[in-house]
Amino acid sequence: GVSAAFAVKLFKSWINEKDINAVAVSLRKVNMDNRLMELFPANKQSVEHFSKYFTEAGLKELSEYVRNQQSIGARKELQKELQEQMSRGDPFKDIILYVKEEMKKNNISEQTVIAIIWSSVMSTVEWNKKEELVAEQAIKHLKQYSPLLAAFTTQGQSELTLLLKIQEYCYDNIHFMKAFQKIVVLFYKAEVLSEEPILKWYKDAHLAKGKSVFLEQMKKFVEWLKNAEEGRGAARLGL
């Protein structure tokens, strides 16, 4: 307990003099940012114990910093393992089980997970540099991975996160600019995305990146969605 008690005095003085961000920068420089758990004996090296001890000692910002570091580490580890599982061609049911266990263990949200999965799925392929061929290649690839993506878009917010990630990707990779609408329609048909988040994205939740191009691409499909929704509403009312 001596090292932890000393650390409380040290970090209190340090944070009072500077702030948690300056402390974090210094810790990173000497590779101590991921070793703070070692202030405790091996049987007490958990985020929960660290957080409780330092919060009670009046160092809540240090507790939150360590929680955040742990979360970043867990996300990086998840992405690395996910890419390995995909390159091995592991069954989706096994990958889904692994990801759900990691979400629970490390308290990772579905929105964070869908962004990681999208990034992993897109990084497993050597994309064609020709615009006319890449859309076809993307649709074929993403169709195959639709069941995996669908397992982690059970919330509207996760669907919106995925839409924003697709928009960002298509904007950042210029030969994907014309593929945006095709990807969204594929995911709608595969039940990865539903009407409401697509309409919300179109109305006011889109990014500024390539907005005019992507909104124009989506115009007809969005009109079709609105008409289909009105038709279903009328059917429910018996009209």
Side-chain angles (χ1 to χ4, degrees):
V2 177
S3 57
F6 170 73
V8 167
K9 289 189 168 69
L10 168 72
F11 283 112
K12 269 190 176 170
S13 304
W14 198 357
I15 291 167
N16 283 339
E17 204 172 294
K18 304 270 190 175
D19 62 23
I20 190 65
N21 296 322
V23 170
V25 169
S26 300
L27 288 170
R28 267 198 301 276
K29 275 183 186 170
V30 292
N31 293 323
M32 279 295 292
D33 49 331
N34 291 314
R35 293 188 60 195
L36 292 175
M37 296 288 177
E38 292 171 31
L39 290 165
F40 296 103
N43 63 336
K44 289 183 177 175
Q45 287 179 14
S46 70
V47 178
E48 281 64 37
H49 181 75
F50 187 100
S51 187
K52 186 173 184 290
Y53 184 91
F54 281 94
T55 300
E56 284 173 0
L59 282 162
K60 193 168 187 285
E61 56 264 75
L62 187 67
S63 301
E64 283 170 358
Y65 166 72
V66 166
R67 273 192 184 279
N68 196 36
Q69 285 299 106
Q70 195 80 358
S71 177
I72 291 166
R75 294 199 296 268
K76 281 182 182 170
E77 194 53 43
L78 173 62
Q79 181 143 16
K80 186 170 165 261
E81 179 58 30
L82 202 51
Q83 284 171 344
E84 283 175 15
Q85 289 178 349
M86 285 177 189
S87 61
R88 286 198 306 262
D90 290 5
F92 287 155
K93 62 175 175 33
D94 295 348
I95 298 177
I96 291 165
L97 193 64
Y98 163 75
V99 174
K100 285 187 173 173
E101 281 170 1
E102 287 300 301
M103 282 171 75
K104 199 175 173 185
K105 191 167 78 181
N106 296 297
N107 198 24
I108 305 173
S109 71
E110 191 179 77
Q111 289 82 55
T112 302
V113 163
I114 197 66
I116 291 172
I117 292 173
W118 166 259
S119 163
S120 301
V121 165
M122 296 309 277
S123 67
T124 58
V125 176
E126 191 67 50
W127 295 108
N128 202 300
K129 292 286 179 278
K130 291 181 179 170
E131 201 175 60
E132 64 274 15
L133 297 174
V134 84
E136 197 181 317
Q137 187 190 7
I139 295 306
K140 198 176 172 184
H141 178 66
L142 291 169
K143 195 173 187 179
Q144 182 192 338
Y145 280 95
S146 292
L148 179 60
L149 288 152
F152 299 97
T153 50
T154 65
Q155 302 161 14
Q157 198 53 50
S158 309
E159 293 183 49
L160 201 49
T161 299
L162 178 58
L163 274 162
L164 295 173
K165 286 290 164 193
I166 300 166
Q167 182 183 350
E168 208 168 30
Y169 189 91
C170 291
Y171 178 80
D172 292 341
N173 298 275
I174 196 77
H175 45 295
F176 268 86
M177 284 293 276
K178 289 181 180 172
F180 180 77
Q181 187 259 7
K182 290 184 173 76
I183 294 170
V184 176
V185 172
L186 165 76
F187 283 163
Y188 174 75
K189 288 178 180 172
E191 295 183 359
V192 174
L193 296 171
S194 52
E195 292 97 331
E196 219 173 292
I198 296 171
L199 294 174
K200 182 166 176 51
W201 172 88
Y202 187 82
K203 188 184 173 195
D204 55 21
H206 46 262
L207 300 169
K209 292 179 170 185
K211 151 180 147 173
S212 54
V213 175
F214 299 134
L215 291 180
E216 184 55 41
Q217 274 184 42
M218 290 293 289
K219 201 174 170 184
K220 281 184 181 171
F221 182 62
V222 164
E223 278 168 15
W224 179 84
L225 277 182
K226 283 178 179 170
N227 292 335
E229 209 168 64
E230 281 165 18
R232 276 195 296 273
R236 278 197 296 271
L237 294 167
L239 301 171

